[in-house]
């Protein structure tokens, strides 16, 4: 089992910054892609950014101008630095971790996604 825990959300004024963190814990797995998603009130969950174990990043639309994703592979932690926040960035931010696990002596690998519970980011105007 893999546990995924986000932190770092909060209330911030427009133009401010927050640094979100997500830690994955457990044993017997390797982590592939780690990513941040967000879901505003009444909205569908959407990709913010993700990053591979090799450090290749992918951002949604124009968020790359204000958000930066990074990770610490040794600690199984992914970060999202959010700058110049806008009221429309208000949402619950979720972390998704894609893991691989060897399940038998033949080396068969199972891939699975794990989600955290989310951390609320509220940007006031």
């Amino acid at each position: 089992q893999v546990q995924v825990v986000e932190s770092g959300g909060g209330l911030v004024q427009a133009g401010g910054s927050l640094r979100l963190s997500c830690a994955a814990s457990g044993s017997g797995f390797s982590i592939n892609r780690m990513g941040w998603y967000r879901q505003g009130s009444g909205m569908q969950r959407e990709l913010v950014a993700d990053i591979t174990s090799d450090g290749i990043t992918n951002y949604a639309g124009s968020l790359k101008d204000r958000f930066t994703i990074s990770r610490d592979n040794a600690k199984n932690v992914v970060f999202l630095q959010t700058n110049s926040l806008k009221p429309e960035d208000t949402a619950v931010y979720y972390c998704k971790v894609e893991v691989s696990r060897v399940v038998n002596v033949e080396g068969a690998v199972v891939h699975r996604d794990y989600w955290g519970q989310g951390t609320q980011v509220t940007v006031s105007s």
Side-chain angles (χ1 to χ4, degrees):
Q1 190 70 10
V2 177
Q3 291 78 43
V4 179
V5 179
E6 304 99 335
S7 62
L11 174 63
V12 64
Q13 289 187 333
S17 300
L18 286 172
R19 188 184 193 221
L20 309 184
S21 300
C22 167
S25 61
S27 62
F29 64 88
S30 60
I31 296 179
N32 305 315
R33 191 181 304 270
M34 303 180 81
W36 288 97
Y37 291 71
R38 68 184 183 182
Q39 187 168 17
S41 179
M43 306 290 286
Q44 289 190 336
R45 192 173 297 188
E46 62 178 2
L47 172 70
V48 174
D50 59 27
I51 183 169
T52 69
S53 56
D54 295 328
I56 298 172
T57 59
N58 173 48
Y59 293 88
S62 62
L63 292 178
K64 185 176 183 178
D65 296 335
R66 300 185 291 118
F67 292 4
T68 302
I69 190 170
S70 59
R71 65 187 279 176
D72 183 336
N73 288 334
K75 297 181 179 179
N76 292 337
V77 176
V78 63
F79 305 98
L80 185 70
Q81 178 66 43
T82 65
N83 299 324
S84 302
L85 285 163
K86 304 175 181 180
E88 52 262 43
D89 294 318
T90 295
V92 179
Y93 284 68
Y94 295 93
C95 177
K96 186 178 82 169
V97 177
E98 300 175 4
V99 306
S100 300
R101 189 190 304 270
V102 177
V103 295
N104 60 29
V105 296
E106 286 80 23
V109 177
V110 172
H111 304 278
R112 182 174 173 180
D113 295 341
Y114 290 87
W115 291 86
Q117 293 300 306
T119 185
Q120 176 71 46
V121 172
T122 302
V123 185
S124 63
S125 58

